[in-house]
Amino acid sequence: MADLPETITRWFAAKGWSLRAHQRAMVEKAHAGQSALLIAPTGAGKTLAGFLPSLIDLIEPRPIRRLHTLYISPLKALAVDVARNLETPAAEMGLPIRIETRTGDTPASRRARQMTSPPDILLTTPEQLALMLAHPQASKLFGALKRLIVDEIHAVAPNKRGDLLALGLARLRAIAPGLVTAGLSATVAEPDDLRRWLTGQGKGENLADLVLAAPEEAAEPILTMLETAERLPWAGHSARHAIGEIYAEICKAKLSLVFVNTRMQAEYLFQLLWNENEAGKRIALHHGSLDVSQRRRVEAAMAAGQLDAVVCTSTLDLGIDWGDVDLVINVGAPKGASRLLQRIGRANHRLDEPSRALLVPSNRFEVLECRAAIEAAFAGEQDAVTKRAGALDVLAQHVMGMLVAEPRDEAGLLAEIRDAAPYADLSDEDFAKILAFVIDGGYALRAYERFARVKRDREGRLRVANARIAQSYRMNIGTIVEATMLKVHLGKPTGSGKTLRFGRLLGEVEEYFAEGLVPGDTFIFGGEVLQFEGLAEDRVIVSRTTARDPAVPSYAGGKFPLSTHLARRVRTMLATLAEWGALPEQVSAWLELQRQKSRLPGPEDLLVETFPRGDRHYLVAYPFEGRLAHQTLGMLLTRRLERARLKPLGFVANDYALGIWMLGDVSAEAKRHKSFLPELFAPDMLGDDLEEWLEESALMKRSFRYCAVIAGLIERRFPGMEKKARAVTMSTDLIFDVLRRHEPDHILLKAARADAASALLDLRRLSDMLMRVRGRIMHHGLKQVSPLSVPILLEIGKEPVYGEARDAAIGEEAARLMEEIGA
Amino acid sequence: MRGALAQARVETSGIECRLGALRVALDPSGAAFLPDEGALVVADLHLEKSAAFARFGQMLPPYDSLATLQRLEAAVNRLRPERLVLLGDSFHRADLLPLSGSAAALTLARLAGRLRLTWITGNHDPQHPATLPGESLAHLDLGDVRLRHEPEADGRPEIVGHLHPAARLSTRAGLQRRRCFLASGERLLMPAFGCLTGALDVTDAPIRDLGWGAEARAYLIAREAIHAVPFHALAARR
């Protein structure tokens, strides 16, 4: 390759740095016009490697300023941070360039100006790219684009945002044919899917070149698990027991990042740490729901070295570099080895020093999982990014965006879409159906031709019918659908005990969480333990309580399933008594107690416990196959229990076990018929039952709601009016029922089914397990809960069952209330 | 007789109550049957609601009118009334009727052929097109009971719609939300019959503030039955 320009070599020399091999390789790829995927650990100078070719290109002043490089990040904050970090070298090199960001927080005036007078380098998000591409000036704006960088590509590609971005990339390749792309990724097990994702597939399979940072450049991390002296909770995710010990670690370090998995956990832990904060340490909070200005203040304080610790969620997972972090504390289980390594990488961004990380399990099962994660990290295990077919609802949104930008002919549009890797295998039929949906809903009953959103012009090209359609598209862009929230008020029952009086507003919880609550349930909210009293006027009424170990409200973004690697390690550990020695004494004592009260599942057996609790009966099974497989199993088992007239009410799955509660006496049933449990777990459940269940499940309704919103069937926001999220939930359920009955083959139902199936996934793993345990089901009928079942009973994310039991329960409660008033 | 009106008689076919001198059978379909008049009453069909949305770019499935009318026809087949009273907001927009020749239009014509149809005007359909079979009225008096779209505080016993009531009940199977009738001795508030209609909680101000005595009952519509619940067991107070 040609030598680097002097401007660059001088800058490196002034810094006392030398060009790393992978940085040189990225420059060479760009020089040769080759797209490339760079896989490097955090701190390996990944961002600079991505931008170096652009900086080299931009050394010479250009006659007309046009957009040269587009950088896409999954996080607004990351785009802002990278822009800041890029401005310094650009200024030091004396480059005559303008670098700008464009996010949802960018003022409208600046966004408008960027369309007519763009910077040389623009840093933005997938949603903003989609918006720009839907602009009539898009072809002009991106016409001279030379380089596109996708950061944290492993986090973007495997979801709907990735689908939207892949379609945007395909459009950019069509507008700017010489475009060279670069992907920046953390270590992944199978990079080929990401290499494909980065490049056009229109002329046959095509892979971006792979550039690997040399592994020897990274030092081994120092990774330990907190050996608490306190009592380890049975369940819950607060880590309250270890707060003193976490605080002591923070005091010893210079700057600590404390990672948790959900927003609520972050708030709670933050509050606990402040209660503990006798030394007056400067501790801050950072998560996605905080006000932007507040987040920016925390980020700036971090960078300026004015903080001692930051409690954060996955908003700080990705490659933001805000300060000299020397300790990463991960509270709760990391769920996957890759995620753990990413978080560890936040500490010490210099490769010659090892990262220091401390795992703090928040309950006993998590001790097993943390131990497994540490072993996996040392064994160098990585989680794979799985290949996926592009979502059809996202395609509908994209097609509308394309037609908003300019009139398009059908064949050209389809060819461009198939250039995007997730849609390379899109069938003619599915495309035709999506197009029909975009035009007038695509219903077999052609009732809406008169209202069509898209019309054909004289040349047969497709174009949007009116300005309102375009405006509505712009207002509803994006693939992230907010959950419906309910307000939480303090309050208490009055009078006969059934009337609720409500007072101070505490905040909001997800509706799905609230619907799973039964009066008397406890949960953590806003840093305190609350007891659910009931629901009134769509408000969640709660009282304060002194209960311990409650369930924590869950947030859709906060739950990661246990990876297959870790699940397998946990299973083996549990079945191998010799390995218990490596566990904290409390945990081995817990397992020992289980061995006495019930039994421990062998490596090949399936342990099933049944017991009564309150006015319900429980069945708990321990397949240790991961949450997704357990959820699938849960919904299939509840169907069979419904048919057996045991009136199941709901189920809950975590990574280790599955619990189902019901009105019928399942213990008696299992005792009466020896064949009951073997038949219940018979593998043929994966046939028709699966199909039927999907149609009626809450999960399917939720999937449909997301698809309906993303595809533009339902508008979240429409011109002149703010539609409440509550109204959206109501109507999509009704729409789903009507559509399912009258046009079951509609393309949006197909999209929702595909989503539901992929959310359940792991059918293969479940089917293997069901085959394996035939004849090996160990049933224990107990009088009360077993030690091992306690965590699952307190688990979050309960799935309701829509069956006979619901109506039966209304009848019961109504009769009770009528009796109470003597009617 | 006014006062405690809920009969303990819970059957699969529904519940009977009384409004003034009028006997009313509440049907799990969401319709009310008046046996003395041979009349079936339904409220808030909101026919062609999907088309009204489609006109503004939201392409909701165009099957809501048919689905609603099929349910209505099934109720008619079961209860065999001589007269059908549609309590207003029968059409989501006065200018959008089921397309002629459509299955929905044919179902409507079939109903008109065998029953006396009385269309009460509502806020969504203040005027009915002249082509609509049957009579169009602002209200209908049956004995001392007035059937009208919106509740009015004029002291008259009334059967009304407009508000789309639903109730939430805390049960041991978790919170359940169902459409419901809401009845006192003076007023029967009908659930919305249309299949794409949303619902308003009975404890929300527009319904709660109508004023309901201690004897008021919400009748929750479950799959095959109706369950009476004291209204004040559902209401919250500030």
Side-chain angles (χ1 to χ4, degrees):
Chain A
M1 115 174 211
D3 285 337
L4 288 179
E6 207 195 322
T7 313
I8 306 289
T9 48
R10 229 185 304 123
W11 180 77
F12 268 94
K15 289 270 164 191
W17 295 348
S18 56
L19 189 67
R20 289 176 182 165
H22 64 269
Q23 292 172 331
R24 178 174 292 276
M26 290 302 281
V27 172
E28 283 169 8
K29 297 295 176 195
H31 196 70
Q34 275 292 330
S35 293
L37 172 68
L38 170 61
I39 293 188
T42 326
K46 208 167 16 180
T47 316
L48 187 58
F51 279 103
L52 212 44
S54 300
L55 297 179
I56 291 171
D57 251 15
L58 292 167
I59 289 174
E60 294 304 320
R62 298 186 298 165
I64 308 165
R65 194 190 300 278
R66 294 196 66 184
L67 188 59
H68 176 282
T69 294
L70 189 63
Y71 163 96
I72 314 274
S73 143
L75 294 176
K76 286 189 278 194
L78 184 55
V80 172
D81 183 55
V82 168
R84 202 169 47 212
N85 290 343
L86 193 59
E87 263 158 15
T88 311
E92 287 167 352
M93 291 174 194
L95 302 187
I97 58 172
R98 214 164 78 206
I99 299 167
E100 288 181 6
T101 58
R102 180 191 177 101
T103 70
D105 303 334
T106 307
S109 58
R110 188 183 307 162
R111 276 189 267 169
R113 197 262 297 143
Q114 285 171 343
M115 293 305 294
T116 52
S117 165
D120 300 276
I121 298 178
L122 183 66
L123 299 97
T124 189
T125 60
E127 288 73 21
Q128 288 297 322
L129 175 62
L131 271 175
M132 286 188 279
L133 284 173
H135 196 282
Q137 297 294 316
S139 296
K140 199 170 151 222
L141 175 67
F142 296 111
L145 191 67
K146 294 281 180 293
R147 194 166 169 76
L148 178 115
I149 302 164
V150 182
D151 205 352
E152 306 286 357
I153 182 173
H154 61 283
V156 191
N159 55 51
K160 288 191 177 184
R161 282 182 96 198
D163 293 343
L164 186 67
L165 183 53
L167 289 164
L169 257 59
R171 178 67 189 142
L172 286 175
R173 279 192 295 266
I175 295 175
L179 183 67
V180 174
T181 55
L184 312 180
S185 175
T187 320
V188 291
E190 289 153 32
D192 279 8
D193 288 326
L194 293 182
R195 295 170 65 192
R196 208 172 285 121
W197 191 93
L198 264 177
T199 57
Q201 306 299 311
K203 300 187 185 76
E205 181 162 7
N206 185 8
L207 271 69
D209 287 354
L210 184 61
V211 175
L212 293 169
E216 63 271 14
E217 286 188 32
E220 283 276 293
I222 299 172
L223 186 53
T224 50
M225 176 164 65
L226 179 74
E227 298 271 348
T228 185
E230 307 292 328
R231 178 186 157 274
L232 257 169
W234 293 96
H237 303 271
S238 72
R240 184 176 45 188
H241 69 284
I243 206 70
E245 291 157 323
I246 294 173
Y247 183 70
E249 292 293 331
I250 287 174
C251 289
K252 275 188 268 175
K254 215 166 98 203
L255 173 54
S256 312
L257 278 189
V258 187
F259 278 105
V260 296
N261 284 334
T262 70
R263 190 179 84 179
M264 290 310 300
Q265 282 171 293
E267 287 197 350
Y268 187 48
L269 195 70
F270 176 66
Q271 206 151 343
L272 290 178
L273 283 173
W274 268 103
N275 294 345
E276 200 75 15
N277 195 1
E278 285 165 2
K281 288 287 169 186
R282 297 161 301 178
I283 304 172
L285 179 66
H286 192 285
H287 63 64
S289 307
L290 289 177
D291 189 58
V292 186
S293 59
Q294 196 179 339
R295 270 183 282 159
R296 293 287 171 277
R297 275 201 300 280
V298 172
E299 290 156 14
M302 261 178 93
Q306 294 162 346
L307 291 177
D308 299 308
V310 179
V311 179
C312 58
T313 61
S314 51
T315 48
L316 288 188
D317 257 8
L318 302 175
I320 302 164
D321 186 5
W322 275 308
D324 214 356
V325 177
D326 61 341
L327 174 65
V328 165
I329 300 176
N330 195 91
V331 175
K335 296 299 165 196
S338 295
R339 177 179 306 279
L340 178 61
L341 288 172
Q342 274 246 301
R343 289 182 168 178
I344 295 170
R346 297 292 96 220
N348 277 340
H349 262 207
R350 290 180 302 273
L351 288 172
D352 44 342
E353 287 173 38
S355 316
R356 206 158 61 82
L358 178 70
L359 299 191
V360 182
S362 54
N363 62 52
R364 291 162 191 229
F365 262 127
E366 284 187 352
V367 170
L368 303 177
E369 198 183 321
C370 286
R371 169 67 39 212
I374 289 172
E375 286 172 14
F378 283 123
E381 271 177 26
Q382 296 287 344
D383 307 317
V385 173
T386 46
K387 188 188 173 181
R388 62 196 302 275
L392 292 170
D393 50 347
V394 175
L395 180 61
Q397 188 182 94
H398 174 74
V399 167
M400 183 57 98
M402 291 299 93
L403 301 183
V404 164
E406 59 186 55
R408 298 294 300 271
D409 78 88
E410 215 172 303
L413 184 58
L414 175 58
E416 190 181 290
I417 287 164
R418 283 184 177 150
D419 194 46
Y423 297 91
D425 298 327
L426 178 70
S427 70
D428 288 349
E429 191 196 349
D430 280 353
F431 175 69
K433 283 187 167 178
I434 284 299
L435 193 57
F437 168 77
V438 170
I439 293 171
D440 66 0
Y443 298 104
L445 183 66
R446 317 273 327 156
Y448 295 154
E449 278 162 348
R450 60 202 151 135
F451 305 133
R453 297 187 285 195
V454 168
K455 307 228 149 113
R456 284 182 197 271
D457 66 12
R458 245 170 290 154
E459 292 98 81
R461 293 180 309 174
L462 301 158
R463 64 187 316 156
V464 286
N466 57 58
R468 192 207 168 275
I469 304 292
Q471 193 188 359
S472 160
Y473 165 81
R474 283 192 282 270
M475 290 178 75
N476 288 282
I477 187 135
T479 60
I480 299 163
V481 180
E482 298 285 325
T484 313
M485 306 297 282
L486 295 181
K487 290 190 162 54
V488 179
H489 284 265
L490 270 182
K492 55 184 176 191
T494 58
S496 67
K498 288 311 291 183
T499 302
L500 290 168
R501 188 183 290 279
F502 64 82
R504 192 157 71 82
L505 176 69
L506 297 178
E508 293 186 327
V509 292
E510 270 187 34
E511 186 181 32
Y512 287 115
F513 174 74
E515 279 177 351
L517 294 174
V518 168
D521 280 357
T522 56
F523 61 101
I524 292 171
F525 187 83
E528 53 190 339
V529 183
L530 302 173
Q531 175 167 318
F532 177 63
E533 298 291 349
L535 207 93
E537 300 186 14
D538 284 344
R539 292 158 209 265
V540 177
I541 312 296
V542 297
S543 61
R544 294 201 168 97
T545 164
T546 52
R548 299 185 68 85
D549 290 339
V552 179
S554 79
Y555 283 85
K559 283 188 286 180
F560 310 105
L562 177 65
S563 78
T564 35
H565 291 308
L566 287 195
R568 195 174 49 232
R569 281 184 181 273
V570 170
R571 236 172 25 239
T572 314
M573 191 184 302
L574 199 75
T576 316
L577 267 121
E579 287 196 22
W580 293 8
L583 298 170
E585 202 202 320
Q586 296 184 64
V587 176
S588 49
W590 168 53
L591 298 179
E592 179 56 33
L593 190 65
Q594 168 71 13
R595 208 162 65 98
Q596 289 166 18
K597 299 268 182 192
S598 176
R599 61 177 296 163
L600 281 160
E604 302 296 323
D605 302 335
L606 176 64
L607 172 64
V608 178
E609 295 173 332
T610 58
F611 49 85
R613 181 168 177 255
D615 48 9
R616 299 165 170 187
H617 294 273
Y618 286 76
L619 180 152
V620 180
Y622 305 87
F624 289 88
E625 294 284 352
R627 185 164 62 84
L628 293 176
H630 294 169
Q631 262 176 355
T632 315
L633 182 61
M635 56 116 185
L636 293 172
L637 289 181
T638 48
R639 284 190 68 80
R640 294 193 156 180
L641 291 165
E642 178 93 31
R643 277 206 295 275
R645 312 223 63 156
L646 287 168
K647 299 182 181 164
L649 293 165
F651 69 91
V652 63
N654 66 12
D655 287 316
Y656 325 103
L658 162 76
I660 304 175
W661 49 100
M662 61 205 94
L663 298 181
D665 187 348
V666 65
S667 301
E669 193 70 21
K671 210 169 167 187
R672 212 164 22 242
H673 305 289
K674 286 284 158 247
S675 64
F676 175 75
L677 285 177
E679 279 169 15
L680 188 65
F681 284 87
D684 59 3
M685 70 171 78
L686 294 173
D688 292 349
D689 274 343
L690 182 65
E691 196 80 355
E692 279 173 39
W693 174 82
L694 262 182
E695 288 303 308
E696 288 169 26
S697 68
L699 187 86
M700 183 71 183
K701 284 182 178 155
R702 220 173 307 166
S703 293
F704 180 75
R705 174 169 169 259
Y706 291 154
C707 286
V709 168
I710 291 170
L713 178 69
I714 295 287
E715 294 173 6
R716 281 175 282 197
R717 294 168 278 275
F718 50 92
M721 201 165 163
E722 268 295 318
K723 194 175 176 81
K724 278 161 54 187
R726 158 143 291 275
V728 170
T729 314
M730 278 298 303
S731 46
T732 53
D733 284 2
L734 297 172
I735 292 164
F736 175 74
D737 285 340
V738 170
L739 191 54
R740 187 163 69 94
R741 207 160 302 134
H742 290 268
E743 195 168 339
D745 295 328
H746 192 266
I747 192 72
L748 282 196
L749 290 178
K750 178 175 175 171
R753 278 185 206 112
D755 278 4
S758 74
L760 302 169
L761 218 75
D762 273 351
L763 283 181
R764 184 58 200 273
R765 207 164 152 196
L766 174 59
S767 128
D768 288 351
M769 188 276 291
L770 292 174
M771 298 300 279
R772 192 187 74 218
V773 303
R774 278 190 303 182
R776 311 195 61 127
I777 294 174
M778 306 294 156
H779 175 234
H780 271 247
L782 301 166
K783 292 206 165 54
Q784 57 189 22
V785 297
S786 71
L788 210 55
S789 71
V790 171
I792 188 75
L793 297 186
L794 296 165
E795 192 54 63
I796 54 181
K798 292 168 181 171
E799 290 286 336
V801 174
Y802 296 107
E804 199 183 340
R806 311 264 131 191
D807 283 354
I810 290 182
E812 269 176 29
E813 185 64 17
R816 202 184 67 70
L817 290 170
M818 292 300 281
E819 203 171 299
E820 208 167 86
I821 61 163
Chain B
M1 180 200 112
R2 297 191 182 167
L5 296 164
Q7 307 293 304
R9 204 164 67 87
V10 180
E11 288 176 5
T12 52
S13 62
I15 279 191
E16 206 172 289
C17 64
R18 216 170 250 282
L19 195 64
L22 206 59
R23 286 192 302 152
V24 183
L26 307 180
D27 190 74
S29 67
F33 185 56
L34 312 177
D36 303 327
E37 306 282 337
L40 190 67
V41 183
V42 289
D44 299 282
L45 264 54
H46 286 266
L47 297 176
E48 295 298 288
K49 179 172 178 178
S50 62
F53 274 78
R55 175 184 280 185
F56 292 101
Q58 291 197 59
M59 301 292 164
L60 303 187
Y63 304 104
D64 59 323
S65 299
L66 180 62
T68 300
L69 290 168
Q70 281 175 343
R71 277 177 46 236
L72 183 56
E73 194 172 37
V76 165
N77 288 340
R78 199 155 34 81
L79 298 164
R80 311 231 156 252
E82 291 145 27
R83 181 177 194 181
L84 184 59
V85 182
L86 301 111
L87 217 49
D89 287 2
S90 306
F91 302 95
H92 193 70
R93 293 180 59 107
D95 57 350
L96 274 178
L97 264 55
L99 288 178
S100 69
S102 67
L106 293 175
T107 310
L108 195 54
R110 234 179 4 250
L111 285 169
R114 59 191 277 203
L115 288 163
R116 177 178 173 196
L117 295 189
T118 302
W119 303 91
I120 307 288
T121 53
N123 52 310
H124 278 263
D125 52 355
Q127 277 194 317
H128 292 120
T131 51
L132 198 63
E135 59 192 338
S136 175
L137 303 171
H139 57 79
L140 170 71
D141 290 332
L142 295 176
D144 58 348
V145 178
R146 177 158 287 189
L147 284 69
R148 57 189 164 203
H149 181 59
E150 292 187 42
E152 277 174 43
D154 60 2
R156 242 183 239 273
E158 58 182 0
I159 301 180
V160 293
H162 183 58
L163 289 163
H164 302 205
R168 281 178 182 266
L169 191 62
S170 214
T171 75
R172 67 171 170 137
L175 283 160
Q176 305 298 319
R177 187 172 201 253
R178 293 290 188 277
R179 288 185 303 138
C180 67
F181 297 90
L182 189 54
S184 67
E186 293 80 31
R187 184 187 301 118
L188 171 62
L189 176 59
M190 301 279 297
F193 195 86
C195 71
L196 271 195
T197 51
L200 184 68
D201 204 86
V202 293
T203 58
D204 280 349
I207 297 181
R208 185 195 57 204
D209 293 350
L210 290 174
W212 299 91
E215 82 288 1
R217 301 281 177 269
Y219 297 94
L220 276 66
I221 300 176
R223 225 176 278 186
E224 288 163 350
I226 284 183
H227 303 290
V229 175
F231 173 68
H232 289 287
L234 300 167
R237 297 205 191 107
R238 269 166 230 275

